[in-house]
Amino acid sequence: MPSVDLLGHPTWYALQGTGDEFVLLLHGGLSESDAMLDSIGGPLGERWRVAAFDRRGHGRTADTPEPFHYQSMVDETIAFIEHIGGPVHIVGWSDGGIVGLLLALRRPDLIKRFVAIGTNYHWNALPDMTNSSSPEMAAMMLAIYAERSPDGPDHFAVVAAKSFQMFATEPELTIADLARVSVPVLVMAGDDELAPLSHTVSFFEALPEAQLAVLPGASHALPIEHPQEVAGLIDRFLRSDIPPATLMPVLRA
């Protein structure tokens, strides 16, 4: 099993695909890298060098006693980018998008372009996450965790509790914070997201250089529901001119 020491902690990672530029996939909360590698990782790997790692307490990376905080996850991400060599393109889904956003504010030098999928910039945009999953979804998440985690299935309750505490208090970014993001961003969401569409639109509108994609008939799980379409939009964004040349510009006039 591939492992790298990140900040003194053994961390599972994967590298796949071809190409000269890295696309780093940052997985969601209570999830793991396989969810992205097995959905959009394949299509993206036809053109890009795809990288991913399981953050502390997720997937195949063991937990530690410390609570979860997004800024600590940014620390892990910085260490991983320095390991593989940056700057890189970032594709962050859900919690991974929050990590990518905070990274863009702290270390824009490490990011070429950033795709934020199903990402909220303030915790109050989300519903009560403790009641947002069906019993079937909760059982599936536990099974996936138990299959991978070196901490064993009983530790999932600890990881869930730390995650829900973080979801309820972080992040707390403002429109003014978003205006300081200096890298090009693609904001992507399903039309039936956890966060209201108005929050996603305000995210897009506050960014200095951004594009917006709302997928019809998609939920917060859009990379799994529509992997080819999501990967195609990501690939187009990463290869396109910035800013894009359009026939009838209004925002970009």
Side-chain angles (χ1 to χ4, degrees):
M1 182 176 74
S3 178
V4 61
D5 185 291
L6 297 185
L7 307 176
H9 191 64
T11 301
W12 182 91
Y13 75 99
L15 302 175
Q16 63 184 47
T18 60
D20 299 326
E21 296 183 72
F22 270 113
V23 175
L24 174 57
L25 306 180
L26 299 179
H27 64 77
L30 293 172
S31 183
E32 78 301 317
S33 296
D34 284 348
M36 299 184 75
L37 291 169
D38 294 344
S39 56
I40 62 176
L44 288 174
E46 295 175 6
R47 188 185 297 271
W48 307 92
R49 187 79 165 130
V50 176
F53 71 97
D54 287 342
R55 295 188 297 275
R56 176 174 58 85
H58 295 76
R60 296 177 174 87
T61 299
D63 197 13
T64 64
E66 288 77 23
F68 289 164
H69 293 293
Y70 289 119
Q71 290 291 1
S72 300
M73 296 178 181
V74 174
D75 294 338
E76 290 178 271
T77 305
I78 291 172
F80 185 73
I81 294 174
E82 290 175 343
H83 171 70
I84 63 174
V88 301
H89 299 295
I90 296 285
V91 177
W93 176 22
S94 192
D95 271 15
I98 296 171
V99 173
L101 179 56
L102 294 172
L103 176 65
L105 287 167
R106 196 201 300 183
R107 290 290 306 274
D109 58 299
L110 295 180
I111 303 179
K112 294 181 178 179
R113 300 189 187 187
F114 170 38
V115 181
I117 304 175
T119 300
N120 59 292
Y121 60 86
H122 199 288
W123 62 265
N124 64 12
L126 298 183
D128 180 359
M129 297 300 292
T130 58
N131 298 314
S132 62
S133 296
S134 66
E136 294 79 12
M137 176 64 73
M140 182 181 71
M141 293 171 68
L142 173 58
I144 293 172
Y145 177 87
E147 182 181 351
R148 291 164 175 77
S149 176
D151 297 317
D154 291 343
H155 192 71
F156 183 72
V158 176
V159 169
K162 293 198 291 187
S163 296
F164 291 137
Q165 174 62 30
M166 182 176 65
F167 299 158
T169 57
E170 301 178 21
E172 291 188 308
L173 296 177
T174 65
I175 295 298
D177 293 325
L178 299 179
R180 294 190 293 107
V181 174
S182 59
V183 301
V185 183
L186 172 61
V187 177
M188 189 184 303
D191 62 0
D192 187 16
E193 269 286 352
L194 290 174
L197 184 58
S198 58
H199 183 83
T200 300
V201 172
S202 69
F203 182 13
F204 158 69
E205 291 180 334
L207 296 165
E209 183 58 67
Q211 299 177 34
L212 175 65
V214 178
L215 272 68
S219 74
H220 189 61
L222 65 164
I224 296 174
E225 295 166 343
H226 305 283
Q228 292 291 338
E229 190 171 1
V230 169
L233 288 169
I234 294 170
D235 180 69
R236 171 185 156 186
F237 170 70
L238 297 183
R239 293 188 297 111
S240 65
D241 293 335
I242 298 293
T246 59
L247 291 177
M248 301 177 63
V250 177
L251 293 175
R252 303 180 181 94

